[in-house]
Amino acid sequence: MATMRASSLDFSRRSLWTQLGSLPWGLILLICAMGMIGVAILHSATFTNPQEAGLPMRQATRFGIALGVLLVVGLVPIRWWFWAAWPSYLATLVLLVAVEFFGTTGGGAQRWVQIGPVGVQPSEFMKVTLTLALAAYYHKRWSDFSGGFMIHLPALALIALPAALIFRQPDFGTTLALFASGGILIFLAGLWWRVIMALGVAAIASVPAIYFFVLQDYQRERVDTYVAQLTGQSVNVMDDGYQIEQAKIAIGSGGWTGKGYMEGTQSQLDYIPEQHTDFILTVLAEEFGFLVTSGVLILWMVILGLGLAIALRAASLFARFAAAGAVATVAFYILFNVAMVLGLVPVVGVPLPLLSYGGTVMITTAGCFGLICAAHLGRNEPLNTGA
Amino acid sequence: MSLKRPIDGLFSRRALIAAGGGTAMFGGLIARLFQLQIMEHERFEVAAAENGVRLDLAPPQRGRILDRFGRPLAAHRQAGRVSIVREQANDLTGLMAELSKHLDISPERQARLISDARRQASFQPVTVKSELSYEDFSRLSVLAPSLPGLQVEMAATRSYPRGRDFAHVLGYVAKASEADLERLSEDTNAQERAAIRRLFKHPDMRTGRSGVERYAEDWLRGEAGFRKLETNAAGRIIREFDDPSLSPKAGRDLYLTVDAELQKFAIDRFGEESGAAVVLDIETGDILAFVSTPAFDPNDFVNGISSKDYALLRDDVEYSPLYHKAYDGTYPPGSTFKMVVAAAALEAGVINPNERVYCPGHYRFGNNTWHCWKKRGHGSVNMHWAIKGSCDVYFYEIAKRMGIENLADMGRRFGFGQRWELGLTGGRSGVMPDDAWKRAARGEPWYEGETLNIGIGQGQVSTSPLQLAVMSARIAAEGKIVTPRIIGDGPRPDTDIPFDEPLDPEIMQRMKAGMYGVTSEAGGTALRSGDLGLGGPRLAGKTGTSQVRRISAAERASGILKGDNIARRLRDHALFVAYAPHDDPKYAISVVVEHGEGGSKAAAPVARDIIAEALRIDARRTPSYIRTASAGSASGTGSGAR
């Protein structure tokens, strides 16, 4: 124990350069590769539309900024994040309430709040700060953990509170993301299997109730479309169905090797709405085919696996949970987006990290990987609360 | 090291389970990808080929052109059109043969249409007939589904509801020729150039060829958009998507300062005569009527005029309907120029207005004799009498005294010798001659004898009806600089006003008194035209005759030929400039009746009637494009700010 304390003090005195050198560079380089792929696909997706000519350059700039965010977040000592966990969670919660009262509406949903000159989307912050809060919670509560079920109830409340606020905006995608990544953390904290089973049964049973009483009309329409296309009914009359149908044609016509860079007829002729944001995968699949597309998915698995390995090696529970939560958040984005584009789940606006055009998800992703890097640098710090 | 705590083991176990779950999900997605991309590849490849959505260029609706009160002068109407599309036709010749059973198309035209269709891009429709009658339209619409490649549709066509009335002002639109495309794509890069070509090749697209239509092309055109259409494998349209972000943006409406009712009245008043008239609002410079008659019908040009019809217009040199006489026509101003000469003499100080000059009916200078129009002579006249009696001898004398440079300077200050940019195509500057001009144009010095001719508005000096109207407006405004304009709300040209110094108001008051004398005092040359018939306000004006040919001494001796004794095209032009009411001038006018002979007989009554009509209908009241508080306050009287 004593040696460990010494090494942690030692660690805090290490120079910035040493710390930079100690970053998980393999992981960061893979992330950069993914970012480059994103810019290249975006170039192809927006090439034919002169109004979108500047998008790839803007995306590249954003990726540069995101990389900066990743490094800054990563170089902040893990115990600072530990101290900041609760205040940042509460601050984000306050912002979410502010959205409720003073938020501005964009695209039919009220998500933005103005702080001075900048518009912020607190629901995005919440993905990171919820992870921090849950990690801090389990870290502190571990000493009196008796293996019981009750320890998880406050954690559930930590998730449910912001999730409810975000659901009201309405932002179904982010609500799902919070429950998914938060749920993973509860699972990692050892929720009993029998409770998990019970919850699963309850969730399936509550689907009709959610469908009829919780979802908004437009969300219900999407689910209808989804069910229709899964069961092979004609969905041409509905715009969402049209989008999924066109996406499937684009992907399916790609074949093994695709039609070639900037040769995708579906993509180049603007058939697919949102093809440079949520549906960017269709361009990749049409122009590069199955081999490259599955390769990109495997590259994502490697990146997430490296993140998880960092979580497993960390000494403190906080670092473990924070890194695992970050991995879970990004993983949710990817899995849900790809499943959505492939027509396996309803169309809910969830972008594909590092590949979709858009600044918000880029920064959130960078924050998540920054946390993972911080956990890596602080892997030997025990973060004893009593000390 | 940290595996001592039970939670660490639990966490690792659970993390591996979660990782396993995640990997399974990724595997599921890759399997689904395999299903779509490899197993069902053929189905989707066919679907992609047959797909689906097509973006058709949609031309923008051209902005309307309205008169000052919002009456449409250029608008659109729907017309049926039939065209052929090579891409969709199995057999062009067969299609053409079938079509000719229903429409009257000559074999030569059939052949030309087919070759046009072969030369153009395969998806580009070639218009067969654009003004389908209702019967033809409905018959062909029924036929179309069974004849692939036949396209029958309604399309917006430019129309000019007032026909000939504004032919020269508006100009007309036509399909863009190669020369038009070249002009439209000046100062553009390759990409913009391609877009312009593509847009103007669309059968519904027209471009302004002349007049406001051409000058204000950018203002009127709008922005092209797209129609998003879903098609089946045969290219037939299944449905149209409603996508507002793709819709074309209509061009802007443009307001002119003219009053369509006054314009129509003026044209009707000319009757069979050919000529020009310009009515100005003295306060604002607004052109209220801009008449050049006879005119062509711009509607004939929208879908291309036949070469036979065009030749008829072009070859009518005597009435020249294609020619914008009010703006492009230049005429010696004749006696209407005498106010300029008198003003120049007063400003040069070469004569006292009360000084009398004796007119015996002719004037000797050097070895030549110059004649007064009044053979018996005017006797002894001062300036006032000289103007109202239009005594030529008086003006020979003062022109000689001041010399051509003083005279030309004053002429330029009235706007002669320079083109007024209005925002139309055309417009001539005329000539305000002086020594420098003659040396440049003829390579000879100025002779003093020529000054005498200029003194009565004959010889080298030439002016457009617009310039004459500006002159009388500046006199009526007592020297204030009046600048003509015709674009009310639209792309107004940047006119720099040369000689923008006001003229001497005292001198201008004398000119006004002279013009009042012409129409309203004993000895005036247009006494019969002074009464406007409105019970009070009178007209003040000046007659003029513009010589078309030189009169020889022999002819003068035997009596100058006139009327039926001489061919129409050799008769003099009749001119009249005026303003009214005389005591509070609001309107200025110039009228040229071509080959009308006498200013007082032919032009003055026309001018009087037009200006009386302007007063009666209050043509200069606030135009509808001015939406300010002053419009509200003036609404009680229905007229503009005073």
Side-chain angles (χ1 to χ4, degrees):
Chain A
M1 237 12 197
T3 48
M4 229 175 261
R5 295 284 303 248
S7 74
S8 83
L9 284 175
D10 211 30
F11 171 84
S12 66
R13 286 194 203 97
R14 279 152 72 181
S15 76
L16 190 67
W17 279 115
T18 329
Q19 291 199 52
L20 259 179
S22 317
L23 281 169
W25 281 108
L27 176 66
I28 294 171
L29 285 178
L30 289 181
I31 289 169
C32 288
M34 191 62 86
M36 297 302 120
I37 294 173
V39 174
I41 305 171
L42 197 64
H43 177 63
S44 179
T46 57
F47 178 71
T48 43
N49 189 341
Q51 282 176 331
E52 297 176 342
L55 300 196
M57 198 56 226
R58 228 177 300 160
Q59 180 83 342
T61 314
R62 281 175 182 168
F63 183 71
I65 295 170
L67 214 53
V69 169
L70 187 156
L71 293 178
V72 169
V73 171
L75 289 171
V76 171
I78 190 74
R79 64 178 179 283
W80 292 18
W81 287 120
F82 183 55
W83 294 329
W86 290 109
S88 63
Y89 175 79
L90 288 174
T92 318
L93 210 54
V94 168
L95 283 180
L96 276 178
V97 175
V99 169
E100 185 81 1
F101 291 105
F102 317 108
T104 51
T105 307
Q110 196 168 352
R111 292 177 190 171
W112 299 80
V113 68
Q114 203 72 25
I115 302 178
V118 278
V120 216
Q121 218 176 329
S123 54
E124 284 300 321
F125 288 145
M126 189 44 94
K127 288 168 186 164
V128 180
T129 53
L130 174 65
T131 298
L132 288 174
L134 286 171
Y137 170 75
Y138 280 119
H139 183 96
K140 285 185 181 167
R141 286 298 301 276
W142 189 251
S143 49
D144 55 300
F145 176 58
S146 55
F149 165 69
M150 297 306 280
I151 191 175
H152 302 298
L153 282 184
L156 189 64
L158 286 178
I159 303 167
L161 205 59
L165 286 168
I166 290 166
F167 185 74
R168 277 178 56 87
Q169 289 180 359
D171 183 350
F172 196 52
T174 305
T175 311
L176 271 183
L178 290 187
F179 272 114
S181 53
I184 291 284
L185 288 188
I186 294 180
F187 172 77
L188 295 180
L191 185 64
W192 291 338
W193 282 108
R194 55 179 183 270
V195 179
I196 297 171
M197 299 295 180
L199 280 175
V201 172
I204 293 167
S206 68
V207 163
I210 290 176
Y211 177 83
F212 286 111
F213 302 116
V214 183
L215 294 188
Q216 307 241 348
D217 275 348
Y218 82 97
Q219 292 164 331
R220 207 169 300 148
E221 243 173 66
R222 286 180 179 180
V223 175
D224 289 346
T225 310
Y226 159 69
V227 173
Q229 63 94 23
L230 263 193
T231 54
Q233 294 169 31
S234 166
V235 287
N236 257 6
V237 282
M238 286 176 277
D239 264 359
D240 288 335
Y242 167 78
Q243 186 176 5
I244 273 295
E245 194 56 36
Q246 292 298 328
K248 277 159 84 176
I249 292 174
I251 294 166
S253 62
W256 279 106
T257 52
K259 299 172 184 170
Y261 187 41
M262 306 210 287
E263 295 292 335
T265 51
Q266 293 286 105
S267 311
Q268 299 299 327
L269 293 177
D270 253 349
Y271 288 106
I272 305 165
E274 308 282 346
Q275 70 164 16
H276 62 278
T277 57
D278 293 354
F279 278 73
I280 192 76
L281 192 78
T282 58
V283 183
L284 181 71
E286 185 186 15
E287 301 193 344
F288 295 95
F290 173 73
L291 295 177
V292 174
T293 311
S294 49
V296 167
L297 292 183
I298 289 169
L299 178 58
W300 262 124
M301 286 169 73
V302 172
I303 292 174
L304 295 172
L306 289 174
L308 196 62
I310 287 172
L312 287 172
R313 277 198 300 266
S316 67
L317 275 184
F318 176 74
R320 289 183 153 224
F321 274 98
V327 170
T329 302
V330 178
F332 167 80
Y333 268 116
I334 299 162
L335 289 170
F336 205 97
N337 174 276
V338 176
M340 169 183 99
V341 173
L342 296 180
L344 293 173
V345 297
V347 177
V348 175
V350 173
L352 187 55
L354 299 184
L355 299 180
S356 285
Y357 177 77
T360 315
V361 61
M362 190 79 98
I363 300 301
T364 308
T365 310
C368 286
F369 283 108
L371 267 187
I372 293 171
C373 289
H376 177 76
L377 290 182
R379 61 187 176 278
N380 294 327
E381 268 195 279
L383 290 179
N384 280 345
T385 41
Chain B
M1 49 185 166
S2 52
L3 284 174
K4 289 166 195 161
R5 292 171 295 179
I7 177 67
D8 294 320
L10 177 64
F11 181 92
S12 301
R13 245 183 354 262
R14 285 286 172 102
L16 288 177
I17 292 171
T23 310
M25 285 191 216
F26 267 99
L29 292 180
I30 290 174
R32 167 71 168 172
L33 203 58
F34 185 82
Q35 180 205 352
L36 290 178
Q37 295 206 277
I38 309 302
M39 288 158 65
E40 297 186 38
H41 172 61
E42 267 172 49
R43 174 164 85 86
F44 286 121
E45 190 165 44
V46 172
E50 287 183 357
N51 210 334
V53 184
R54 194 173 87 195
L55 289 179
D56 273 12
L57 193 68
Q61 175 134 299
R62 199 173 171 85
R64 295 176 304 164
I65 303 176
L66 310 162
D67 86 343
R68 68 192 282 114
F69 304 122
R71 303 180 186 113
L73 308 180
H76 356 77
R77 78 195 141 75
Q78 294 291 319
R81 182 182 62 206
V82 58
S83 33
I84 49 175
V85 186
R86 174 157 62 91
E87 192 177 56
Q88 291 160 23
N90 309 321
D91 167 23
L92 267 182
T93 327
L95 175 64
M96 211 64 226
E98 188 62 33
L99 197 53
S100 62
K101 285 183 198 158
H102 304 275
L103 286 175
D104 182 28
I105 317 168
S106 68
E108 300 88 71
R109 187 159 162 69
Q110 287 184 37
R112 215 183 72 210
L113 287 168
I114 290 175
S115 79
D116 279 356
R118 293 220 168 104
R119 223 179 14 232
Q120 284 206 20
S122 61
F123 58 86
Q124 202 77 256
V126 173
T127 306
V128 177
K129 193 156 189 271
S130 48
E131 298 277 316
L132 290 178
S133 67
Y134 180 71
E135 290 77 25
D136 284 343
F137 178 75
S138 36
R139 195 152 28 121
L140 290 170
S141 298
V142 173
L143 214 60
S146 60
L147 287 176
L150 190 69
Q151 196 171 298
V152 184
E153 57 200 339
M154 293 297 272
T157 304
R158 192 64 153 175
S159 81
Y160 300 99
R162 293 197 174 243
R164 289 158 208 272
D165 288 6
F166 287 95
H168 302 102
V169 174
L170 299 176
Y172 58 89
V173 294
K175 273 192 189 157
S177 65
E178 276 305 312
D180 290 327
L181 288 172
E182 210 46 52
R183 176 167 54 78
L184 289 163
S185 47
E186 266 171 31
D187 303 323
T188 53
N189 61 34
Q191 201 180 350
E192 291 162 338
R193 186 175 286 256
I196 287 170
R197 286 197 91 82
R198 204 166 51 227
L199 174 60
F200 279 99
K201 288 285 181 192
H202 191 282
D204 287 346
M205 202 58 197
R206 296 286 185 277
T207 184
R209 270 282 173 73
S210 66
V212 177
E213 290 273 31
R214 172 157 167 180
Y215 186 90
E217 172 75 28
D218 291 344
W219 176 281
L220 295 166
R221 189 193 300 157
E223 277 172 46
F226 290 96
R227 290 168 70 203
K228 195 171 178 185
L229 305 165
E230 187 175 341
T231 55
N232 64 11
R236 201 165 295 287
I237 294 161
I238 294 170
R239 64 166 171 159
E240 181 164 357
F241 296 89
D242 184 32
D243 188 345
S245 69
L246 293 175
S247 312
K249 272 197 215 87
R252 279 179 284 182
D253 285 350
L254 184 154
Y255 284 86
L256 296 178
T257 60
V258 294
D259 177 347
E261 292 304 316
L262 183 64
Q263 178 93 353
K264 180 173 163 37
F265 178 90
I267 289 170
D268 290 348
R269 182 62 186 77
F270 269 86
E272 297 295 305
E273 302 285 355
S274 74
V278 181
V279 181
L280 284 180
D281 177 345
I282 289 169
E283 193 187 349
T284 58
D286 282 357
I287 296 177
L288 299 167
F290 208 22
V291 172
S292 175
T293 186
F296 58 92
D297 186 345
N299 288 304
D300 296 341
F301 286 78
V302 174
N303 289 311
I305 188 168
S306 74
S307 48
K308 200 181 74 191
D309 290 345
Y310 185 74
L312 278 177
L313 291 171
R314 185 194 54 207
D315 298 340
D316 183 358
V317 282
E318 199 169 322
Y319 287 87
S320 43
L322 291 177
Y323 196 51
H324 192 184
K325 302 176 183 79
Y327 196 29
D328 295 340
T330 56
Y331 307 84
S335 301
T336 59
F337 197 58
K338 282 175 178 164
M339 281 78 75
V340 178
V341 182
L346 288 178
E347 192 145 294
V350 298
I351 194 159
N352 179 312
N354 296 321
E355 183 183 331
R356 285 163 181 268
V357 170
Y358 182 71
C359 167
H362 56 85
Y363 185 81
R364 286 198 64 84
F365 177 72
N367 294 327
N368 285 316
T369 302
W370 275 260
H371 294 270
C372 185
W373 67 272
K374 199 170 185 177
K375 247 181 160 176
R376 289 177 288 119
H378 286 85
S380 199
V381 290
N382 65 10
M383 183 172 279
H384 185 75
W385 274 86
I387 292 176
K388 75 176 178 189
S390 201
C391 173
D392 291 338
V393 169
Y394 181 90
F395 286 94
Y396 294 140
E397 172 64 22
I398 62 173
K400 191 194 75 178
R401 284 195 202 172
M402 72 179 129
I404 187 64
E405 297 306 330
N406 281 325
L407 184 43
D409 277 351
M410 182 56 76
R412 284 188 281 263
R413 288 172 62 186
F414 273 101
F416 294 115
Q418 62 126 347
R419 176 177 178 269
W420 290 112
E421 177 59 85
L422 295 177
L424 314 178
T425 50
R428 295 266 296 271
S429 60
V431 178
M432 184 64 246
D434 58 11
D435 184 57
W437 171 83
K438 197 178 173 203
R439 283 174 195 277
R442 303 279 150 85
E444 286 175 26
W446 187 263
Y447 298 121
E448 212 178 348
E450 292 173 304
T451 310
L452 271 52
N453 271 339
I454 307 299
I456 62 161
Q458 305 290 358
Q460 305 294 348
V461 59
S462 73
T463 60
S464 71
L466 175 65
Q467 288 172 336
L468 289 174
V470 172
M471 176 196 78
S472 46
R474 287 184 173 185
I475 294 171
E478 301 190 349
K480 229 187 76 205
I481 291 301
V482 180
T483 309
R485 64 174 186 213
I486 198 163
I487 307 287
D489 184 24
R492 275 197 194 165
D494 261 340
T495 341
D496 44 323
I497 309 159
F499 311 106
D500 57 353
E501 242 173 85
L503 298 147
D504 184 342
E506 235 172 86
I507 296 177
M508 290 306 124
Q509 277 158 17
R510 275 188 197 284
M511 299 306 114
K512 284 175 72 178
M515 287 172 76
Y516 180 71
V518 169
T519 60
S520 308
E521 290 172 8
T525 52
L527 204 48
R528 279 168 302 174
S529 299
D531 186 358
L532 291 166
L534 301 174
R538 291 183 69 83
L539 180 78
K542 181 75 194 79
T543 54
T545 304
S546 175
Q547 278 178 21
V548 171
R549 70 204 160 95
R550 184 171 272 275
I551 298 166
S552 66
E555 186 185 331
R556 196 177 292 281
S558 61
I560 297 169
L561 293 174
K562 275 194 170 180
D564 293 339
N565 299 322
I566 186 171
R568 178 185 181 272
R569 63 187 170 78
L570 297 176
R571 295 177 206 158
D572 289 343
H573 299 312
L575 272 61
F576 196 70
V577 297
Y579 64 87
H582 73 277
D583 51 351
D584 176 21
K586 292 187 169 65
Y587 301 95
I589 188 171
S590 71
V591 167
V592 173
V593 179
E594 287 191 324
H595 311 297
E597 295 200 316
S600 61
K601 186 189 74 184
V606 174
R608 174 199 62 203
D609 290 353
I610 295 171
I611 219 164
E613 177 71 6
L615 281 163
R616 202 174 297 125
I617 65 176
D618 193 14
R620 67 196 277 278
R621 67 187 186 275
T622 310
S624 53
Y625 51 84
I626 296 182
R627 287 167 290 266
T628 56
S630 74
S633 68
S635 65
T637 59
S639 71
R642 269 143 222 273

